[in-house]
Amino acid sequence: MSSHAFRAALRSTARFAPQRNLLASTSSSVAPRQTLFSLRQTARSYASHAPHTTPAVHHSESDAIWVIGSLLVFGPLIYKLTAPPPKKKAGESDHHHQKKEEAVEEAVEEKEEETTAAAAVPAATKHEKDYYPYILIGAGTASFAAMEAIREKDPSAAILIIGNEDIGPYMRPPLSKEMWFNKEEETTKNLSFKDWQGKERNIVLHGKETIQSIDQEALEKIESAESGVKLLTGATVEDLNVAEQSLTLNNGKVLKYGKVLLATGGIPKTLPVLQGAGEGKVTTFRSVEDFKKLHSLVKSADKKIVIVGGGFLGSELAVAVSHYGKEKNVKVTQIFPEDGNMGLVFPRYLSKWTTSQVEQEGVTVKPNSRVASTKAVGEQVELTLENGEKVLADHVVVAVGIEANVELAKKAGLELDEHRGGVVVNAELQARRNVYCAGDMTSFHDVTLGRRRVEHYDNAILGGRVAGQNMASDKLHKVYKHQSMFWSDLGPHIGYEAVGILDSKLSTVSIWTKKPTVAAADAAATEEAPAKEEAADKKDEGKRERATATPLPAEAVKVEDKEKYNKGLVLYLKDKKIVGLLMWNNFGKVEDARKILGQVYDTEKVEALVKPFGIHEE
């Protein structure tokens, strides 16, 4: 089995196993509860009908015998029922209270069963024109997850999703990953791809709900919202009136809502210095249309592509495009200001080693570089770097992050997070009454790590689901406690999964299966290690076969030695607490990582802490 197939198999298991268990437990509990409900109905049916037998007539002389017999039989029972309860012994539970709680729980279960039974056959509701009980603004992953959650709790719900693209909700991660590792021409046309296990999939999300796409003309003809899901494509919301629970579309049409979800995502950042590069020569990369344009360009031979940015997207795209265009002599150059790839995320030593691996994939990497100016030269773009170096490109892709799309929220008067960006919501993902938010544009309270804004696919899926569940619930609201994971692959030797906060400015502790080569003493002494926890005596480290609680100094690694970091774990610390975990070529351990987030790091207990990750296993 290839390394990619192995990664995919583990990830598939890790991501979907909890869902399968949930489905299994749900289905197995339905039958007993339905049986119990049926038994209750039967018992009450018998109790509510008068007996059809005629009572026997006794002679007066036998009455005394019956009275005596009844006292003998029922006397002790009557005494037991009427006698005061015995005093409880120390530590003995209140049996009567327990029975009462069980009776209340049975009553609640019965009510839930009756409610579920009633919901299974939804009654048609007549809504006034242009009113929708649920409107989801943004047609991305978060809205898709919210839609499914709403329909699960409210099967008769009428939902309107509003999106500015001409396509339904789709997955963004494959646009910079799997889509570039297929050679079939149908990939672009059908938006399909083969995952690492060889299974063909499509980036468009498909669930059990049928989504009907409509345009603004078709929307105008709807007299009353009906049960189901409609997707309004090619439209934007220009204004949101929270007080009146209404919104205005870009064509001026006003719609009213019962509850609304803002899932407007993020807007790619741009660099003003690239504005003079010529029309159409510089693009960002976020949408399906961005992918199609770059994919079409790379299919031509001898093209030069420059990618500005060394983070998640820039590094993934550099490796993917280089791989795809290798046979057509496509040259990829990556430019960024950090010391190495993922320099804002990985410890410095790991960032530099990652850069060496990206270069092996055919990418020309220019770290510690910034674009000073650009100009059009014929059909190409000339980029002048701050050091005076000039780079020619047929096309430039800017991948320097996104900013939360909060323009609509700002107009609506919602509270914004000035520090992190995004709309401020509570732990239930609610911004105001009947207004919810999910996805990249949400600043939420993480009960473990504090207030955060997360830009990962897993966060959009689970956050959208919780928001949808709360939108469809009038009383019981669910708190968003999920610690989202993210993953990436940068060539055949680098694959990782992570949870929590990964910031290269934080202190880190690294544990590896094999120790990297130690540099000369003078080289280690001239550079500063990024974390005190990683300081160690070079003499002792040179003798170790595996990492312990005091790993190698980060800057004592010679990148030129090409020492492989085969498998490892990096802990990110803040105030001595573990706030993030990077699992390097170590897959299927996300749940183990979530369990130790927020724990205090103790050097004496590090072996027990990392044992579930199998770092030291053969």
Side-chain angles (χ1 to χ4, degrees):
M1 179 181 289
S2 66
S3 60
H4 286 317
F6 180 67
R7 296 174 192 169
L10 283 173
R11 289 177 182 168
S12 177
T13 303
R15 291 172 194 156
F16 298 108
Q19 298 180 13
R20 291 196 299 268
N21 294 338
L22 177 61
L23 290 173
S25 62
T26 303
S27 61
S28 63
S29 63
V30 170
R33 291 182 64 181
Q34 289 178 340
T35 304
L36 181 61
F37 184 46
S38 177
L39 288 173
R40 289 174 185 164
Q41 286 184 320
T42 303
R44 292 180 182 177
S45 176
Y46 279 116
S48 62
H49 287 77
H52 297 288
T53 57
T54 304
V57 179
H58 302 285
H59 295 287
S60 58
E61 58 269 18
S62 62
D63 288 346
I65 298 175
W66 280 103
V67 170
I68 295 172
S70 298
L71 287 175
L72 290 174
V73 175
F74 297 106
L77 179 61
I78 295 173
Y79 173 77
K80 187 174 182 179
L81 293 174
T82 57
K87 294 182 179 180
K88 294 184 290 184
K89 297 179 181 179
E92 184 178 350
S93 63
D94 191 336
H95 185 70
H96 176 70
H97 181 66
Q98 180 180 352
K99 287 294 184 181
K100 185 176 181 180
E101 287 183 340
E102 292 176 354
V104 172
E105 291 176 355
E106 289 179 357
V108 171
E109 289 179 0
E110 182 178 350
K111 184 65 177 177
E112 289 177 349
E113 291 163 355
E114 293 172 352
T115 302
T116 304
V121 186
T125 303
K126 184 74 173 179
H127 299 293
E128 63 180 82
K129 184 175 174 58
D130 298 332
Y131 170 82
Y132 288 84
Y134 304 97
I135 295 183
L136 315 180
I137 303 175
T141 304
S143 284
F144 180 85
M147 174 272 295
E148 288 200 319
I150 292 171
R151 291 283 292 179
E152 286 174 7
K153 294 185 73 71
D154 184 1
S156 63
I159 303 174
L160 177 65
I161 304 175
I162 303 174
N164 59 357
E165 297 185 61
D166 294 326
I167 186 175
Y170 60 88
M171 299 180 285
R172 295 190 191 277
L175 296 179
S176 60
K177 295 183 177 74
E178 294 93 337
M179 293 280 283
W180 294 94
F181 289 83
N182 298 306
K183 300 297 183 181
E184 294 84 355
E185 292 298 325
E186 292 298 309
T187 297
T188 303
K189 181 179 179 181
N190 298 330
L191 297 176
S192 60
F193 64 92
K194 289 185 178 180
D195 62 21
W196 299 116
Q197 292 176 300
K199 181 181 179 181
E200 186 164 332
R201 302 177 61 188
N202 196 282
I203 70 168
V204 178
L205 295 168
H206 295 284
K208 59 184 179 181
E209 298 292 340
T210 300
I211 302 177
Q212 179 186 359
S213 295
I214 60 174
D215 56 19
Q216 296 191 12
E217 183 179 350
L219 178 68
E220 186 63 40
K221 296 178 181 179
I222 297 175
E223 293 298 326
S224 176
E226 298 177 348
S227 174
V229 183
K230 288 183 170 55
L231 169 65
L232 178 61
T233 59
T236 58
V237 178
E238 298 296 322
D239 186 63
L240 176 66
N241 191 320
V242 176
E244 296 183 3
Q245 296 195 185
S246 66
L247 57 86
T248 304
L249 299 177
N250 56 320
N251 67 348
K253 185 174 181 61
V254 176
L255 300 175
K256 289 185 174 293
Y257 64 83
K259 295 180 181 179
V260 66
L261 173 72
L262 271 66
T264 49
I267 301 174
K269 295 178 181 178
T270 58
L271 297 176
V273 71
L274 296 173
Q275 292 179 353
E279 185 177 358
K281 295 296 182 180
V282 179
T283 61
T284 55
F285 192 90
R286 185 163 177 82
S287 68
V288 167
E289 290 303 315
D290 294 333
F291 166 78
K292 287 182 176 180
K293 182 173 183 178
L294 184 59
H295 188 273
S296 177
L297 183 66
V298 174
K299 287 194 297 185
S300 301
D302 302 320
K303 293 296 182 182
K304 296 179 179 179
I305 307 298
V306 169
I307 296 175
V308 180
F312 290 102
L313 178 59
S315 298
E316 286 181 356
L317 205 54
V319 171
V321 174
S322 178
H323 172 85
Y324 182 83
K326 189 173 296 184
E327 295 179 359
K328 296 182 180 296
N329 196 35
V330 173
K331 301 298 182 182
V332 177
T333 301
Q334 188 181 12
I335 302 171
F336 49 81
E338 295 80 33
D339 289 342
N341 290 78
M342 305 295 295
L344 298 178
V345 180
F346 295 166
R348 191 178 179 204
Y349 74 95
L350 192 56
S351 172
K352 285 187 173 182
W353 186 83
T354 299
T355 297
S356 71
Q357 299 303 299
V358 172
E359 289 175 332
Q360 289 187 18
E361 294 303 305
V363 180
T364 300
V365 183
K366 296 185 178 298
N368 301 304
S369 301
R370 287 182 172 86
V371 180
S373 63
T374 58
K375 67 177 182 179
V377 179
E379 295 296 320
Q380 293 182 311
V381 178
E382 182 183 83
L383 295 87
T384 302
L385 306 185
E386 288 184 344
N387 63 359
E389 183 181 358
K390 299 183 184 299
V391 179
L392 280 177
D394 293 294
H395 192 79
V396 180
V397 179
V398 182
V400 293
I402 65 171
E403 56 186 3
N405 185 1
V406 296
E407 190 61 31
L408 178 62
K410 186 176 181 180
K411 289 182 181 179
L414 301 182
E415 182 182 358
L416 304 181
D417 188 331
E418 299 297 337
H419 176 61
R420 303 167 190 83
V423 179
V424 176
V425 299
N426 58 22
E428 298 169 356
L429 304 184
Q430 189 175 39
R432 291 272 289 277
R433 184 174 180 270
N434 295 329
V435 180
Y436 295 80
C437 301
D440 297 343
M441 51 82 68
T442 304
S443 171
F444 64 96
H445 174 68
D446 186 321
V447 296
T448 302
L449 302 174
R451 183 156 292 278
R452 303 175 65 198
R453 187 173 73 84
V454 179
E455 300 172 0
H456 296 303
Y457 178 79
D458 190 43
N459 174 64
I461 286 285
L462 274 298
R465 182 165 183 80
V466 170
Q469 289 173 333
N470 291 340
M471 290 173 73
S473 302
D474 293 328
K475 296 181 180 179
L476 299 177
H477 276 198
K478 188 173 183 179
V479 174
Y480 184 53
K481 299 180 180 180
H482 180 70
Q483 291 296 337
S484 59
M485 63 87 70
F486 53 96
W487 74 98
S488 183
D489 295 291
L490 300 176
H493 303 303
I494 299 177
Y496 61 86
E497 297 177 345
V499 295
I501 300 172
L502 271 61
D503 188 334
S504 60
K505 294 189 293 294
L506 295 173
S507 298
T508 58
V509 175
S510 305
I511 301 95
W512 299 97
T513 56
K514 184 178 181 181
K515 293 308 298 178
T517 303
V518 181
D522 55 347
T526 56
E527 299 188 24
E528 180 182 359
K532 293 181 180 180
E533 286 80 3
E534 293 185 345
D537 185 86
K538 297 196 303 299
K539 181 179 179 181
D540 292 337
E541 283 294 334
K543 298 178 181 179
R544 292 194 183 112
E545 294 181 357
R546 66 183 191 183
T548 60
T550 54
L552 189 70
E555 301 310 325
V557 179
K558 285 184 177 179
V559 176
E560 61 267 26
D561 289 332
K562 306 293 183 185
E563 183 67 48
K564 289 185 178 180
Y565 288 83
N566 294 318
K567 182 179 179 182
L569 178 70
V570 181
L571 307 178
Y572 290 74
L573 309 179
K574 183 177 182 181
D575 299 329
K576 298 183 178 180
K577 290 186 177 181
I578 301 172
V579 297
L581 292 95
L582 172 65
M583 292 154 283
W584 191 267
N585 291 328
N586 191 2
F587 308 103
K589 303 294 185 180
V590 171
E591 286 304 319
D592 293 309
R594 287 175 176 142
K595 291 176 183 178
I596 66 174
L597 270 182
Q599 290 188 19
V600 175
Y601 174 74
D602 187 348
T603 56
E604 300 297 325
K605 300 179 180 179
V606 66
E607 291 289 346
L609 189 70
V610 303
K611 184 177 180 180
F613 298 92
I615 301 300
H616 299 151
E617 294 177 358
E618 292 296 334

